[in-house]
Structure formats: C-alpha cells, structure tokens
Amino acid sequence: MRRIRKWHALLVAAAAALCVPASGVSSSSDNSMITKVGKTEGQLNLIAWEGYTQPQWVKPFTKATGCKVKPKYGGSSDEMVTLMRTGQYDAVSASGDASLRLIFGKDVRPIDPKLIPDYKNFIGALKSPPHNTVKGVHYGISLQWGPNTLLYNTKKVKPKPTSWGVLYSSKYKGKVTIPDNPIQIADAALYLSKAKPSLGIKDPYELTDPQFKASVDLLKRQHALVKKYWVTAGDEIDLFKNGSATIGASWPYQTNTLQAAKAPVKDLIPKEGATGWADTWMISSKAKHPNCAVKWIQWVSTPKVQAQQAIYFGETPANTKACVIMDKLSKGSCAQYHANAPTAYFKSIKFWKTPTKDCGNGKSNCMDYTKWQQAWTDIKS
Amino acid sequence: MNATAVRAERPLGNARRRLSAALWRRPWLRAVALLLPPLGWMIVFYLAALAVLFVSAFWSIDSFTGKLTHTWTWANFHTIFSDPTYRQIAWRTIWMASAVTLTDAIVAFPFAYFMARIAGPRQRTLLFVLVLLPLWSSYLARIYAWRLILNHDGALNWTLGKLGLPTQGWAFTNTAMWIVFSYIWLPFMILPIYAALERIPDSYIEASRDLGARNWTTFRRVIVPLALPGIVAGSIFTFSLTLGDYITPSLVGNVDFIGNVIYRNVLGLTNNLPFAAAYATIPLLVMGLYLVVAKRLGAFDAL
C-alpha cells in the first residue's frame, strides 16, 4: 500500500510541477556607463534593421575581433523595443522613435564616446542628438540617417509634385500608398505646419490636442484615397511595379530597388521638408557580450563600413570621412546620398522620435505614443 | 544469464508486478494514469494559457516605457466597448466571417453532394484529391497568388481586358478579402458536408419517393435536414478561421480585423499585451456562443 501512495504522490507532484509556470531566468541588469573595452567574448547578438549586418562588413569584423555576429532583424521600431526587453540581445540599431523608450525603460547602458575613435569625425548634429543623449549622457552612438521621401511614377504623375499635399488631394484617388505606421501622423502634422500655419505646429512629434486632431482628421480623409497602407518595403515595391499605386510616401531604399528594376519612378523631398530616421547603436543593460558590442560600434563607425552600409541601404553616413570612400566604391554616391550635404539639409529633416506628454515647453499637454497608436487604428478602420 | 543479473532484475520485476496489480485493483488509478498526459497537456498549455490571457486582460502598461503594471483595472474593456473604432473592427470581422461561411456553404453543398451521391468511385477519388490539393501548398503562397490575380495589372484584369469587359479594382478591398477567405477555407466546408451526405442511407430517399415526394421535396425535407449537422460543423471551421486570421487582411485587404489589432498590440506599437488580451476575449466569446448554437443543431454528431 505504501508504494501505491508514493506512486500517487509522484503523480500529483508531477502535475504540480507542470502547473508551475516556468519562471524566466532574468539576467542581472547593469546601468553603469561603459568606459573601457575588455577582452572580447567571442559572440555578439544583435537586433538590426534588415541590411545593417551584411557579410561584406560582418565577416572582416569577426576576423578582426573573434566576435561571431548573430543578427536578428527587427521589422519595426516597436518590435525592436519588444525584442530588447527580452534581455537576450547585446545591442540594437534603434531609430529615434525607439531610442528614448529604451533609455527611459532603463534597457540600455550609457557609453563614453571616447571609446569610439571615429566619433570625432561625425557630423556635429549627430554627436549628441536629443534622441540618444539625455542630460549630456550618451546612451549610444549614431550610425546613419535618411529622409522619408515622396515616391512617384514619372509616367502617371504629372506635373512633377512639389508638396506633400498631393497625397491628400483627390487627384490620385485610389493610387496612393503610405506606410502602415502610427509615426505617419507626424507626416500629416509636418504638412499642416506649412499648409495651416494657424495651428501653430512647431514640432510634428509634439502635438497638442487641437493640432493632433487636425492631423488625424487629415489622415482620416486621406483613407478613401489610399490603395494600400504598406507594411514592408517589398509591399510598396510591388504596388509600384504592378501599377496599383503611382504615388506614395517611401524610403530611398524602395526608389533604388525600383529604379534598378527599370521602373519609371523618382523620389524627392517636397517643399515642406520631410520626416526621417536617425539610427543609433545602443548596448543592452543586460548584455552578455558588452566588449564585443563596443568593438562592433567602433567597427561600424569607421569610414569604410559607413560607406559600404550607406550605399547598400541608400542612406547617409554619420561619419564625414565616408564620403571619399563612397565615391571610390560607386562614383557619385556621396552626393546621391547627401553625405556631403550642408547642415541645412540635415536641419530640414524632422527625425523620428517617441511622442511623449512632455512638449518640451514645460507643459505636458501633448499626445503620447499610446494616443498615436489608438488614433492610427482609428484612421485605418 | 548469470546469478547476479537475475538478482539485480528481481526488485524491478517485483515492482512492476505490484504496480500492475495495483492498477488492476483500482480502475480509477488506471484512468488517471491514462488520462494524465493528454489532460496535463490540455491544462498546462491550453487552459492555463487561456487563464493567463484572461487575467492579463485586466492589467495595463505604462504609456511611455511600455512596461506592465500589475494593477486590476477594467480600462481595457472600457476602451473596447466605448471606442467606436474597436466596435467597428469587431463587427467587420464577424460580418466577414458570416459572409465567408455563407458563401462557402452555398458553394460547397452542390460539390459535396456530387461527390457523395452522384460521382463514381474513381471520380470521387479524383475530386477528393482536387479538394485536398491546395492544402498541400503553403497558405501564404496561395494568398500571394491571389494578389497576383487581383492586382491592377493582374491575371483577372488581363483576361477581362482581352474579353472586352470592364476591368475591376478589387485589389486591397473587402471584396478581395471575401474572395480569398472563401477560397482558402472551402475544403473545410466541403469535407464535413460530404461526410454528412454520405451517411444518409439510400433507403431514406427511396422511402421518401415511395411516399410520393418529388425530387425537390425529398431534397428539402430529407437531405438538407440530415446534412445540416455537417453544414454547421463546416461552418465552425470557416467561421472561426476567418475570425482569427490576420494574415489575409494584411496581405490582400486594407483594413484591420480583430487579429490585426491583437497582432499590432503584441509585436508592434506599444507592446500593449493587456489590451491585446482583452481584445482577444471578444472572438473567444463569439466562438463560445457559436459553439453552443452549433451543439444544439447537432454539429458535433457529424464530426
């Protein structure tokens, strides 16, 4: 009889053990500033935008440092933030609308820019930009940047557009495509800041209630004109290739790909200016391979890698010394991707950042990102 | 076999014998041992997950850092029921699921009827293969194929143009979604209806004729009522699959379904898991109600 009871108890214990939810092994987090590089750990787990970890610069890096790179592509800024919070990654190529969320969520470690020799060659605006530097503390090192452009079919769209207004007018009804992304509200706000100065929009990411409503209303009216809210860059390329869309908001990457496929398209920055992205490599506060991560940031900041990545993705390097190498790799690419453009060009772009309640004017009556998200669902429905 | 080996084996053999004796004496113990693995699986991976889902629906997240706040709140449900956007998305999804179910039932019935009662054995095998063939290829590949068909410069418009008919602009509309959904879930409707129709004994139909019923009356009063559980069983698949899908809407449509809202709250935007959990209870409730009605109509007897 005793044996049966033991057996019985065993069953119960097994059932109980199954019911206890597996508690995640959370690694300890370290939020102190990185001031020196130690011995490399042999491995590096990255979250990156697709195209940011190409073999042409990852292979030589592994050869030089012994750090094996394991990249995971993030599909959106939001996905990147979610992935970083798992604590399984060492570093992330965060855009401006993700970086502040990571900083205030204490998910990333500050870094001393003195560790990065090429930092001194960066354009001034990307040395301590507000999206990765808070109160003088650097939470990452800038990488590359670029504008969101207006892409159009040169055969179907005439005359050549000059304003973002073309995306909101019924002239191209059913032929418009824009990104399926709440940050798109900033594009509407940017247009309204020029088209309706009475609203007083200064920063398209810091919107008070009436400014926000006006932008959302504009996008709601646009809904009837939109053929498809594109999710991936490939989506938009398809739409332009098969003629479903003739005009839309885009990245330079799509233009490059479409032009390479001989599609009759061009892109431009309309007179209102453009929104854009500026990416930063940030190191996780739970990084298991922090030394490899610092080595990686040193590597991707060098002029050669900066030039390679700029040409591959179609964006602008932070390192001013990359221009010469870009022209060596592909003639005219320095000017094509604005690597030698004056500061005024950089200033004309309103870089993505996380909308918060704090409007930067001491008041906290702006719409935060949750509101943006809800409004976006509302716009699309 | 040498002596040591026998001695080593004996305690184990004894234990086994005692265990089997215990199991024989106590049938309930046998049942427990037999049911525990599947039941444990069910409880841990299915019911426990559902319970966590339901509990987390009452949490919230910090709007800036996006971290979970474990305080009890009705706020998520309040937003879902008070915000017209989420109501509209829920209704749209339910409406689409109903339209797809109805379409599939209408298309599948004659097909299943032909398979079950008219086709010869060879034809039947061929038709079976044809119904199941699409299921062998990837669901994504089939959706992309439909994109190519419905596109502005796609196969359909090309054909219409050659025939001198006006072209359509269905790409990325609800019409496109309705067509693709109806296509994708059709096999799940055909098979249960076929099973139900095949089970109707010929003698019932002969009896109906002997009693003077014409073909139409026999069909209406004998065949359809007997096939109804099969139709309802099939509708459970088409309805629930449409209700939960988010890939088709994002690839061939241009508006959100319930699944898209959940997806974007989980792996996008603010990572608002509690809200996703709260919204996920809506299709659960709808499906619960649907299953109760389906049971009344005898759908589970036909499965």
Side-chain angles (χ1 to χ4, degrees), chain B:
Chain B
M1 202 184 274
N2 61 41
T4 32
V6 172
R7 221 173 294 142
E9 206 184 68
R10 195 170 289 143
L12 204 79
N14 276 344
R16 201 185 286 160
R17 223 169 295 136
R18 263 194 245 176
L19 182 67
S20 70
L23 285 175
W24 182 81
R25 275 200 302 274
R26 288 185 164 57
W28 63 267
L29 196 64
R30 223 159 42 207
V32 166
L34 213 64
L35 283 176
L36 198 77
L39 220 65
W41 182 271
M42 201 52 193
I43 289 170
V44 174
F45 292 103
Y46 191 74
L47 293 180
L50 271 183
V52 171
L53 180 90
F54 195 67
V55 170
S56 64
F58 291 95
W59 293 340
S60 63
I61 58 148
D62 185 286
S63 69
F64 186 65
T65 60
K67 294 204 164 163
L68 271 179
T69 313
H70 298 245
T71 37
W72 201 257
T73 165
W74 281 96
N76 291 326
F77 288 99
H78 186 254
T79 312
I80 288 167
F81 288 107
S82 64
D83 189 327
T85 306
Y86 295 114
R87 274 208 311 260
Q88 195 191 338
I89 291 171
W91 279 122
R92 173 192 297 145
T93 313
I94 294 167
W95 191 88
M96 179 63 78
S98 315
V100 168
T101 302
L102 192 69
T103 312
D104 275 347
I106 292 170
V107 175
F109 196 91
F111 194 97
Y113 187 85
F114 184 83
M115 264 170 84
R117 309 210 66 91
I118 298 172
R122 274 197 165 188
Q123 266 177 315
R124 185 178 299 169
T125 314
L126 182 73
L127 288 173
F128 251 120
V129 171
L130 285 178
V131 169
L132 295 173
L133 201 62
L135 298 179
W136 296 352
S137 72
S138 162
Y139 158 82
L140 280 175
R142 283 179 285 145
I143 296 178
Y144 271 100
W146 271 104
R147 257 167 81 134
L148 292 177
I149 295 170
L150 295 172
N151 261 340
H152 181 263
D153 293 346
L156 181 58
N157 271 353
W158 182 84
T159 315
L160 288 172
K162 290 276 173 205
L163 294 174
L165 295 167
T167 55
Q168 47 75 31
W170 292 335
F172 309 113
T173 60
N174 289 352
T175 314
M177 265 194 278
W178 170 69
I179 293 171
V180 176
F181 270 134
S182 300
Y183 159 78
I184 285 182
W185 308 138
L186 189 62
F188 298 95
M189 184 62 102
I190 291 177
L191 296 178
I193 298 182
Y194 167 81
L197 285 171
E198 203 213 8
R199 258 191 255 170
I200 303 174
D202 288 337
S203 56
Y204 283 25
I205 291 157
E206 282 160 16
S208 169
R209 290 210 179 115
D210 288 348
L211 291 168
R214 284 161 194 259
N215 281 349
W216 173 244
T217 315
T218 307
F219 176 76
R220 201 165 46 87
R221 301 199 44 188
V222 179
I223 296 174
V224 171
L226 286 171
L228 192 68
I231 299 173
V232 178
S235 79
I236 293 173
F237 292 121
T238 57
F239 191 81
S240 68
L241 289 169
T242 312
L243 209 60
D245 195 38
Y246 67 92
I247 295 169
T248 307
S250 66
L251 288 178
V252 299
N254 199 30
V255 286
D256 280 342
F257 270 29
I258 291 177
N260 299 87
V261 174
I262 295 170
Y263 171 76
R264 282 196 288 132
N265 273 291
V266 172
L267 240 197
L269 302 169
T270 48
N271 190 24
N272 195 339
L273 284 176
F275 185 80
Y279 209 44
T281 55
I282 305 253
L284 273 180
L285 281 177
V286 173
M287 246 2 258
L289 278 174
Y290 198 96
L291 289 177
V292 169
V293 175
K295 191 175 182 313
R296 287 265 168 91
L297 293 171
F300 299 108
D301 312 331
L303 280 176

Side-chain angles (χ1 to χ4, degrees), chain A residues 1 3-4 7-8 11 18 78-79 82 85 100-101 104-105 107 175 182 223 226-229 235 238-239 242-244 354 356 368-370 373-374 376-378 380-381, chain B residues 15 18-19 22 25-26 28 32 36 44 63-67 85-86 88-89 92 147 151-153 169 171-172 250-251 253-256 261 264-265 267-271:
Chain A
M1 280 321 254
R3 208 167 255 285
I4 293 165
W7 176 247
H8 194 187
L11 283 178
L18 279 170
D78 307 300
E79 195 178 332
T82 309
R85 296 224 159 105
L100 281 183
R101 272 185 269 165
F104 288 99
D107 300 302
K175 294 286 174 191
H223 182 92
V226 174
K227 183 76 208 173
K228 169 84 181 154
Y229 293 94
D235 261 355
D238 277 354
L239 287 163
N242 68 42
S244 292
T354 310
T356 62
D368 65 24
Y369 195 57
T370 315
Q373 172 216 335
Q374 282 162 2
W376 187 250
T377 308
D378 195 15
K380 277 190 67 199
S381 73
Chain B
R18 263 194 245 176
L19 182 67
R25 275 200 302 274
R26 288 185 164 57
W28 63 267
V32 166
L36 198 77
V44 174
S63 69
F64 186 65
T65 60
K67 294 204 164 163
T85 306
Y86 295 114
Q88 195 191 338
I89 291 171
R92 173 192 297 145
R147 257 167 81 134
N151 261 340
H152 181 263
D153 293 346
F172 309 113
S250 66
L251 288 178
N254 199 30
V255 286
D256 280 342
V261 174
R264 282 196 288 132
N265 273 291
L267 240 197
L269 302 169
T270 48
N271 190 24

Side-chain angles (χ1 to χ4, degrees), chain A residues 32-207:
Chain A
S32 65
M33 187 186 285
I34 302 173
T35 51
K36 56 177 189 285
V37 210
K39 205 168 160 277
T40 55
E41 299 90 348
Q43 197 182 324
L44 182 61
N45 302 328
L46 299 175
I47 303 166
W49 291 109
E50 196 171 338
Y52 276 25
T53 50
Q54 290 304 304
Q56 52 170 318
W57 59 88
V58 167
K59 273 188 186 161
F61 168 74
T62 307
K63 217 174 184 184
T65 61
C67 301
K68 273 196 194 120
V69 178
K70 285 193 181 167
K72 157 98 187 154
Y73 296 140
S76 66
S77 287
D78 307 300
E79 195 178 332
M80 286 182 161
V81 173
T82 309
L83 287 172
M84 268 302 265
R85 296 224 159 105
T86 64
Q88 293 166 11
Y89 299 91
D90 299 306
V92 60
S93 64
S95 292
D97 55 334
S99 52
L100 281 183
R101 272 185 269 165
L102 291 168
I103 293 170
F104 288 99
K106 299 204 188 309
D107 300 302
V108 288
R109 276 180 87 172
I111 179 168
D112 186 349
K114 282 194 197 107
L115 286 175
I116 314 299
D118 273 291
Y119 178 78
K120 60 178 188 296
N121 302 323
F122 281 15
I123 59 167
L126 281 180
K127 280 188 172 164
S128 309
H131 57 255
N132 68 27
T133 308
V134 176
K135 289 178 186 151
V137 180
H138 298 264
Y139 287 87
I141 303 295
S142 295
L143 179 71
Q144 309 251 341
W145 53 284
N148 297 312
T149 54
L150 181 65
L151 176 67
Y152 65 100
N153 182 319
T154 49
K155 287 201 176 134
K156 300 277 171 64
V157 177
K158 280 173 186 167
K160 179 182 159 190
T162 56
S163 159
W164 286 113
V166 70
L167 293 182
Y168 306 105
S169 82
S170 54
K171 191 173 172 194
Y172 297 105
K173 186 172 182 191
K175 294 286 174 191
V176 175
T177 181
I178 63 164
D180 186 1
N181 189 336
I183 210 78
Q184 200 60 28
I185 294 170
D187 281 55
L190 177 72
Y191 168 70
L192 286 177
S193 71
K194 299 283 157 60
K196 264 197 185 168
S198 59
L199 283 165
I201 297 173
K202 288 204 181 73
D203 184 326
Y205 305 95
E206 293 172 354
L207 301 173

Side-chain angles (χ1 to χ4, degrees), chain A residues 248-271:
Chain A
S250 175
W251 302 334
Y253 173 74
Q254 281 92 302
T255 316
N256 286 354
T257 314
L258 281 163
Q259 285 175 345
K262 304 268 184 281
V265 297
K266 271 190 183 163
D267 68 358
L268 53 82
I269 295 179
K271 62 182 182 196

